[in-house]
Amino acid sequence: MINTQIIKSKDLKKKDVKQFIYQTIKTGHTVVFPTETVYGIGGDALNPSAVKAIYLAKGRPSDNPLIIHIARKKDVHLYARHISSYAHILMKVFWPGPLTLIFDKKDIVPYETTGGLETVAIRYPQHLIAKQLIKISQSPIAAPSANISGKPSSTRFKHVYEDLNGHVQVIIDGGDSSIGIESTVVDVTQSMPCILRPGYITKEMIESVLGIQISDASREKINGAVKSPGMKYTHYKPKGEVKLLQGNPERMLAFIENDALNDKKAIICSDENASYFTSMLTKPIGSIHRLDLIAKNLFSTLREMDELNIEKIYVEVFPETHLGHAIMNRLLKASGYQIIKLI
Ligand code: TXA
Ligand code: MG
């Protein structure tokens, strides 16, 4: 076990704290930090032993590559080759922010970071603490989401602490993530951009900025040929069984009452439908008209289900347009790709 140091984000201004963080990163160790999307487990992206420490802390298969986080737009040129004109537009409009771009990598990026791939994922985050960490470290920071591999991502300090205390050198407490769902991953190595993971920046937003239609590989079958290694692993699973229900609330209620029997059950639903489910534990996660709030609450609500030892977690199906696409992508993975249609 590592003796994890907890640092409050306001203390990052202090000289000795900065020095400690710098030393931690430069000696190949790990620092958990907040971003606007989810928390990340950071290490020096150019140091293979730091990258190994990240995989170890997370329990992640080492062929699932990491995103390199930078704190200046121009640093993309240090790690990426061939930046297409579409990529330039996306960086101009969405960086800093929740968009990760996949480029052909330069030699300086170790294969440990890219999971053996010739491509590299780069993101310039918006969050002040994330930017501060990268600057203090004087290194690009490789970081996956700060959860034990397979579990829902962490959007709150409490959840990061539960998963990673004793497994990383430092956790920076930066409160709750404002977005709550991970960055959109877009492959810009080909002539046309392609979405590999839907996220906060939606397909509609990207298409409107580029003036073209783009493809979306994130729906490809889980066991088939996958473009992004992350697509093939189990993800976002709480301990309880997640069941996605599509249909009107009356039918959902009838199904649950018949299905759960003696199991400890709960439903995660829109605010609008909450009043139908008074006979069970109900977790309203936001109005159907506020997909941003549903996205923000999603992972913390799934984790709350574990805290309450819920055995059967029913979740209302949300529309798959705009941000709903990213929400449903996470929920489909959490449920093992099953929607129960009650029509
Ligand atoms: O919002 C986020 O992106 C957060 C914060 C911490 O920045 N990070 C995050 O990292 O979600 P992670 O490792 O949990 O997810 C990164 C995804 C994975 O699905 C991975 O397979 C994919 O990006 N990825 C990384 N490098 C890739 C590459 N070279 N080619 C294709 N996919 C890649
Ligand atoms: Mg992740």
Side-chain angles (χ1 to χ4, degrees):
M1 289 284 269
I2 301 169
N3 180 20
T4 304
Q5 304 293 306
I6 310 297
I7 294 178
K8 289 272 173 206
S9 53
K10 65 173 181 359
D11 291 336
L12 278 186
K13 290 194 201 89
K14 295 181 183 162
K15 214 172 160 196
D16 57 331
V17 174
K18 280 188 189 171
Q19 184 59 28
F20 176 65
I21 297 268
Y22 173 81
Q23 280 303 333
T24 303
I25 293 292
K26 283 296 175 207
T27 51
H29 295 109
T30 47
V31 174
V32 170
F33 64 104
T35 85
E36 68 275 26
T37 57
V38 300
Y39 275 76
I41 312 174
D44 181 350
L46 305 183
N47 177 349
S49 47
V51 171
K52 282 184 192 144
I54 295 172
Y55 283 115
L56 186 69
K58 197 175 155 80
R60 179 174 189 153
S62 59
D63 68 340
N64 193 0
L66 305 179
I67 297 171
I68 296 188
H69 298 69
I70 57 175
R72 289 183 310 195
K73 208 175 279 187
K74 64 180 182 192
D75 285 356
V76 69
H77 298 284
L78 299 173
Y79 316 114
R81 285 191 287 126
H82 315 306
I83 301 178
S84 71
S85 51
Y86 287 135
H88 276 292
I89 299 171
L90 293 176
M91 292 188 299
K92 187 160 190 275
V93 176
F94 296 113
W95 276 8
L99 176 73
T100 297
L101 297 174
I102 308 290
F103 300 98
D104 290 323
K105 82 173 191 73
K106 282 194 170 165
D107 291 343
I108 188 176
V109 181
Y111 286 113
E112 283 81 0
T113 307
T114 67
L117 297 176
E118 293 298 335
T119 53
V120 59
I122 304 183
R123 167 156 121 81
Y124 175 10
Q126 170 78 64
H127 198 290
L128 200 68
I129 305 301
K131 288 194 275 201
Q132 247 178 307
L133 169 71
I134 301 163
K135 284 181 186 151
I136 292 170
S137 308
Q138 297 175 34
S139 303
I141 297 292
S145 50
N147 52 281
I148 298 292
S149 195
K151 283 186 48 165
S153 306
S154 303
T155 56
R156 296 185 178 169
F157 170 73
K158 177 173 109 160
H159 295 146
V160 168
Y161 185 83
E162 269 165 25
D163 273 17
L164 296 169
N165 183 43
H167 299 280
V168 295
Q169 262 65 33
V170 175
I171 301 177
I172 303 173
D173 178 357
D176 296 351
S177 299
S178 58
I179 288 177
I181 203 158
E182 301 93 336
S183 63
T184 308
V185 178
V186 179
D187 183 347
V188 286
T189 60
Q190 308 298 314
S191 56
M192 295 297 274
C194 171
I195 294 185
L196 301 186
R197 176 178 72 181
Y200 188 74
I201 305 291
T202 64
K203 183 168 186 274
E204 291 87 344
M205 287 158 80
I206 294 173
E207 288 180 339
S208 117
V209 159
L210 298 182
I212 52 164
Q213 299 241 306
I214 62 167
S215 56
D216 180 348
S218 69
R219 290 164 196 264
E220 280 168 23
K221 239 190 126 37
I222 191 158
N223 294 323
V226 289
K227 289 202 175 172
S228 177
M231 287 180 190
K232 71 180 183 220
Y233 293 109
T234 315
H235 250 107
Y236 311 120
K237 280 216 160 104
K239 288 189 220 111
E241 187 185 2
V242 175
K243 292 192 173 189
L244 303 183
L245 304 182
Q246 185 173 36
N248 66 38
E250 288 90 353
R251 285 184 188 218
M252 283 162 64
L253 183 61
F255 176 85
I256 296 168
E257 280 174 351
N258 190 41
D259 185 63
L261 301 175
N262 297 322
D263 301 306
K264 202 167 172 197
K265 60 181 185 288
I267 180 150
I268 301 174
C269 62
S270 60
D271 293 351
E272 285 82 354
N273 280 341
S275 62
Y276 288 92
F277 302 107
T278 46
S279 60
M280 71 188 84
L281 180 66
T282 310
K283 287 281 160 193
I285 58 166
S287 163
I288 198 68
H289 305 295
R290 290 294 305 272
L291 290 174
D292 58 327
L293 293 183
I294 294 178
K296 181 175 174 174
N297 293 328
L298 185 65
F299 290 134
S300 55
T301 308
L302 287 175
R303 280 178 171 264
E304 222 179 299
M305 296 287 110
D306 278 353
E307 286 157 23
L308 297 168
N309 292 313
I310 305 297
E311 293 160 300
K312 286 201 170 157
I313 307 163
Y314 299 94
V315 190
E316 172 182 334
V317 161
F318 299 104
E320 275 198 66
T321 51
H322 301 276
L323 195 46
H325 181 30
I327 293 168
M328 284 308 298
N329 170 275
R330 308 311 187 263
L331 283 173
L332 278 164
K333 288 187 178 185
S335 69
Y337 288 87
Q338 281 189 58
I339 296 184
I340 298 160
K341 296 197 168 127
L342 305 166
I343 311 157

